[in-house]
Amino acid sequence: MACMSRIVQRTGSIVLALLGAACGAPEPAPQPVPRPSILVITLDTTRADAVGPEARGVKTPAIDAVAARGLRFRQAYASVPETLPAHTTMWTGLYPAGHGVHENARSVPARHELAAQKLAAAGYRTTAFVSSFVLARRFGIARGFELYDDEMPQGSAERSARDTTERALAALAAPPAGAARPLLMWVHYFDPHAPYAPPEPWKSRYAESPYLGEVAAMDEQIGRLVAAFERHAPGPHAVLIVADHGEGLGEHGEATHGHLLYQGTMHVPLIVAGPGVTPGTSDVPVSQRRVYHTVLDWAGLGSQDSLRSVAANAAPEVVLGEAMKPFLAYGWQPQVMAVAGRSKAILAGRIEHYDVIADPGETRDLAAQGPPDRRLRDALREYPVPSPDGPPAQEALGEEERRQLASLGYVASGAAPVVRPDAPRPADRTALFALMEQTSDLFVRGEYRKVIPLLQRMLREDPHNLDAALRLATAHSTLGQEAEAEAAFAKAREIAPGSADVRTYLGLHYARTRDWRRAVPLLERSVAEAPDRLPALEGLAALREREERWPEAIELRQRVHALRAPSATELLQLGALAMRVGRTELAIEALQGARAKQGEAFEHHLELGVVYLAARRLTEAREAIDRALARQPDAPMALFKRAQLAVLLDEPDQRQRIEAARRGADPHVRELIARERLFERAR
Ligand SMILES: [Zn+2]
């Protein structure tokens, strides 16, 4: 494959590069190395200046120790300042324009083969431990991992570095059979993400900067993790440490991340250590997408674009980045970043240009002194902006998931974009960030009455903000204010007439009203267009039950459960539906699943016994009925079923069982006993 800059010069298209073509100057192919076990540690929300030997205001001895024996990239860049898109880049090797995940709460398209899938196919054992709901299995990022631990503590959307490390260490210490294979292990830490609340002693030690306190606390766990990995995983060992993106910390008016493309959020730490890596530092700008190529290289699956081969004197590749959420959700300008050498250009309505070595704070825009390098301009101009008319790759969310995501400061509106020539530049809208955060916070906590006036104000100040219009509509809908909800939906439709999300949320709104039948065609269309769109699937499943279209309800529920783990209650509901249409095996599977989840709290032993009996699984039926009777010794139906089983299993006490059933019978069971032929042949 040609390198990107040559493609730009030759064809004027960078699409090939986005789709995985090699980039940068020709680099020497690295020497093959024995396949190591590979540990990839991704640090959420960690600025380049917050870790490593050059960190400011914080000590990170564990990361420094890896850096001391590895190669540290001092000019590494995130591809997008959001968690799921950035991780998708690292596991596909593609920029967001290539993999299509521009925001959190979308799905990684199945057409992309992730690094873990390739390594698993090449004989690696693959395990992952993530610390935020944003990276839950349902978003498609778990493909290829034999073990994917995304279980968050009850009622929480995130997990501490300590908790995640404990789980990773337990898995390392107790490998399954076949553990002689090399291991790919991915551990994601979320601690530095807002809100900043480090544990002691870091809380006191970093009282002035709790953000850095979170980083320091995370570093301690990294030390434990790396030591355990090198003790237990088959050697040799490779370790890669990288951040998904940084944190604004107030620079350029951005407290957190996701809205702008300045260094605080885009410049990230990146360290590789292991076989074939020459220790040192590199000032060559590189994208985090090369994590993918480096992992493949270590696994012997191709050395192209591996970070092992970045020479100190290599000609700089054009490193790209984007922040499309303000464009997709609020109708602001799309934003693209391009970096080559010490030059960085940002296109967001107009071009900004900085020398990030001399001016890492990006305080002096050089654009007035002339345009940036032609390569940068070409790259910015040709970076594909996601099309509002494209296929709806959006994945909308259910109430609970939305709450969880928003509790992390992420709000995925699922909003389709409208490109307007007069769209504001995100950097000129920073005054709205605080109001957006406040509305998001109230919305998450379900304080709809309080959030409505703020959303109305938001729409007055930012009249094309689809995210605000959809939230306003949903807030009214949830409060049962139907007229106001419909007015807000009308506004949303005016902003984005073709939006699949407006259609979906309108459908979910109707489903809450007496007009629920109007929801059916809307949600049918949503499901047809985007088969993985969970809330639409969930909503349509509920509608099918109301329509008493049981087989379709079952099919939709099964699709929902394939995308996310069902609750015990949902499994019981599926079991009841399956029993209703006589799908015995499915009913057994669902009830067994509910029992496994509920343990001692499971109360449906009788139902389970009945479906086992229907499936002629008599021993299991007897065990289930005995459990029911142990809890309720005089339950008439359980006594009756137990007597039936005694006869069918030809037990010696079958007559006593029948007698006990007769004595305990209520009128309904008495009738059943009278008609039970089985009892006539009892011994
Ligand atoms: Zn993140």
Side-chain angles (χ1 to χ4, degrees):
M1 281 284 198
C3 87
M4 180 171 61
S5 52
R6 270 179 281 145
I7 293 170
V8 170
Q9 284 157 10
R10 227 180 26 230
T11 70
S13 163
I14 62 165
V15 173
L16 278 179
L18 298 171
L19 295 175
C23 276
E27 287 159 347
Q31 291 300 308
V33 293
R35 298 203 309 174
S37 285
I38 304 165
L39 173 61
V40 175
I41 306 174
T42 61
L43 316 175
D44 218 291
T45 320
T46 303
R47 292 168 59 106
D49 58 13
V51 298
E54 292 176 85
R56 289 188 312 207
V58 57
K59 296 235 177 308
T60 55
I63 293 173
D64 296 1
V66 177
R69 57 191 167 92
L71 176 57
R72 184 163 57 90
F73 289 90
R74 300 203 298 183
Q75 295 297 323
Y77 284 91
S79 63
V80 53
E82 278 216 319
T83 306
L84 180 68
H87 281 91
T88 306
T89 289
M90 292 191 271
W91 289 122
T92 60
L94 305 174
Y95 286 115
H99 59 62
V101 181
H102 302 278
E103 294 178 90
N104 285 328
R106 305 299 187 219
S107 285
V108 181
R111 67 177 180 277
H112 299 305
E113 200 181 4
L114 309 181
Q117 292 174 287
K118 295 197 178 212
L119 265 67
Y124 267 74
R125 200 155 66 80
T126 52
T127 63
F129 300 81
V130 299
S131 301
S132 165
F133 172 72
V134 176
L135 294 174
R137 170 188 304 272
R138 52 178 292 172
F139 300 116
I141 195 83
R143 289 200 302 272
F145 288 102
E146 291 160 41
L147 167 64
Y148 194 86
D149 181 349
D150 60 355
E151 198 184 319
M152 299 301 136
Q154 191 71 36
S156 175
E158 62 179 289
R159 194 160 67 177
S160 71
R162 175 172 289 280
D163 285 357
T164 296
T165 303
E166 292 298 343
R167 284 167 170 260
L169 262 50
L172 280 168
R181 287 180 287 155
L183 174 66
L184 168 67
M185 181 181 230
W186 168 31
V187 178
H188 161 255
Y189 290 124
F190 198 65
D191 306 61
H193 197 280
Y196 318 126
E200 291 291 5
W202 295 277
K203 187 178 173 206
S204 305
R205 215 174 282 168
Y206 292 91
E208 297 296 303
S209 174
Y211 169 75
L212 292 176
E214 295 269 32
V215 171
M218 174 173 74
D219 181 75
E220 184 190 44
Q221 300 304 321
I222 290 170
R224 298 176 66 210
L225 175 67
V226 171
F229 175 77
E230 295 186 343
R231 188 161 59 246
H232 294 292
H237 300 104
V239 179
L240 190 155
I241 299 176
V242 63
D244 61 347
H245 53 77
E247 185 82 322
L249 297 181
E251 292 170 12
H252 300 271
E254 185 173 42
T256 58
H257 57 269
H259 286 132
L260 301 173
L261 286 172
Y262 297 108
Q263 292 294 81
T265 63
M266 297 304 285
H267 183 204
V268 292
L270 172 58
I271 299 165
V272 295
V277 175
T278 310
T281 58
S282 170
D283 290 325
V284 176
V286 292
S287 167
Q288 66 185 179
R289 76 188 191 91
R290 295 173 72 168
V291 167
Y292 169 87
H293 305 94
T294 308
V295 167
L296 258 54
D297 175 23
W298 269 323
L301 298 173
S303 63
Q304 174 188 293
D305 274 1
S306 168
L307 289 167
R308 281 209 297 131
S309 59
V310 176
N313 57 355
E317 84 174 84
V318 176
V319 172
L320 300 171
E322 62 157 68
M324 294 295 173
K325 177 174 142 183
F327 168 64
L328 295 167
Y330 322 135
W332 301 351
Q333 287 286 348
Q335 299 170 102
V336 186
M337 170 198 92
V339 180
R342 57 196 300 154
S343 283
K344 171 175 165 183
I346 297 171
L347 173 62
R350 63 176 169 78
I351 290 181
E352 296 161 64
H353 177 207
Y354 302 99
D355 176 341
V356 289
I357 303 299
D359 177 27
E362 293 155 298
T363 56
R364 292 184 299 279
D365 184 354
L366 306 173
Q369 299 161 30
D373 187 287
R374 188 195 163 93
R375 284 196 314 155
L376 291 185
R377 276 181 290 141
D378 286 347
L380 292 177
R381 202 183 56 236
E382 292 167 18
Y383 189 90
V385 170
S387 163
D389 305 320
Q394 330 268 13
E395 192 205 344
L397 290 175
E399 206 70 27
E400 172 64 10
E401 288 75 21
R402 185 166 286 268
R403 195 191 58 72
Q404 284 197 309
L405 273 180
S407 72
L408 302 173
Y410 291 131
V411 177
S413 67
V418 173
V419 188
R420 291 178 302 118
D422 59 340
R425 301 175 68 246
D428 294 338
R429 279 294 203 224
T430 55
L432 283 179
F433 289 1
L435 177 60
M436 293 167 86
E437 206 138 299
Q438 198 188 352
T439 56
S440 161
D441 195 45
L442 288 170
F443 192 85
V444 170
R445 289 193 269 121
E447 302 210 26
Y448 298 121
R449 276 176 216 287
K450 281 192 199 159
V451 81
I452 283 171
L454 297 183
L455 287 168
Q456 286 166 336
R457 194 178 125 207
M458 189 78 210
L459 276 171
R460 277 196 302 277
E461 297 190 22
D462 202 33
H464 298 272
N465 193 316
L466 180 57
D467 183 69
L470 273 177
R471 281 171 181 234
L472 181 61
T474 301
H476 282 305
S477 171
T478 311
L479 291 172
Q481 300 166 344
E482 291 184 26
E484 292 86 346
E486 303 225 358
F489 275 116
K491 166 80 180 161
R493 253 188 313 204
E494 190 187 305
I495 296 172
S499 163
D501 295 296
V502 175
R503 212 159 44 235
T504 301
Y505 287 108
L506 184 60
L508 294 173
H509 161 65
Y510 285 135
R512 292 186 192 103
T513 69
R514 275 200 307 264
D515 261 350
W516 61 270
R517 282 176 204 282
R518 291 180 73 181
V520 175
L522 292 169
L523 294 184
E524 278 174 347
R525 187 167 163 198
S526 294
V527 166
E529 284 172 344
D532 285 353
R533 187 185 297 229
L534 258 178
L537 281 172
E538 289 166 338
L540 191 57
L543 291 173
R544 291 299 188 232
E545 283 174 43
R546 287 172 90 162
E547 295 179 304
E548 303 191 357
R549 291 164 69 168
W550 313 118
E552 284 160 282
I554 288 174
E555 194 257 339
L556 286 161
R557 272 187 182 268
Q558 287 181 302
R559 282 167 66 183
V560 168
H561 298 179
L563 288 168
R564 60 155 176 78
S567 67
T569 309
E570 289 175 319
L571 287 169
L572 291 172
Q573 288 164 345
L574 178 61
L577 280 173
M579 285 165 76
R580 191 185 272 278
V581 295
R583 290 188 55 186
T584 311
E585 288 302 327
L586 178 61
I588 290 173
E589 193 187 312
L591 289 171
Q592 277 175 337
R595 185 177 168 224
K597 279 187 188 293
Q598 291 186 317
E600 278 305 301
F602 183 72
E603 285 175 347
H604 298 266
H605 298 287
L606 176 59
E607 288 88 334
L608 187 55
V610 169
V611 286
Y612 275 134
L613 183 54
R616 284 291 179 260
R617 291 163 67 168
L618 300 182
T619 332
E620 289 154 301
R622 179 176 59 195
E623 284 163 13
I625 301 291
D626 282 344
R627 285 194 301 270
L629 284 169
R631 282 163 178 76
Q632 270 191 295
D634 51 359
M637 186 59 81
L639 286 168
F640 170 58
K641 291 287 162 191
R642 187 62 186 82
Q644 285 182 316
L645 282 161
V647 177
L648 289 167
L649 288 162
D650 200 19
E651 292 177 334
D653 62 347
Q654 46 192 279
R655 291 228 153 266
Q656 290 96 304
R657 291 281 184 193
I658 294 169
E659 208 32 59
R662 287 214 167 92
R663 273 198 311 275
D666 58 16
H668 172 59
V669 167
R670 206 166 296 136
E671 238 173 78
L672 293 176
I673 291 176
R675 279 186 282 138
E676 181 52 270
R677 288 273 180 83
L678 209 52
F679 292 169
E680 290 165 17
R681 64 170 158 99
R683 289 193 291 114

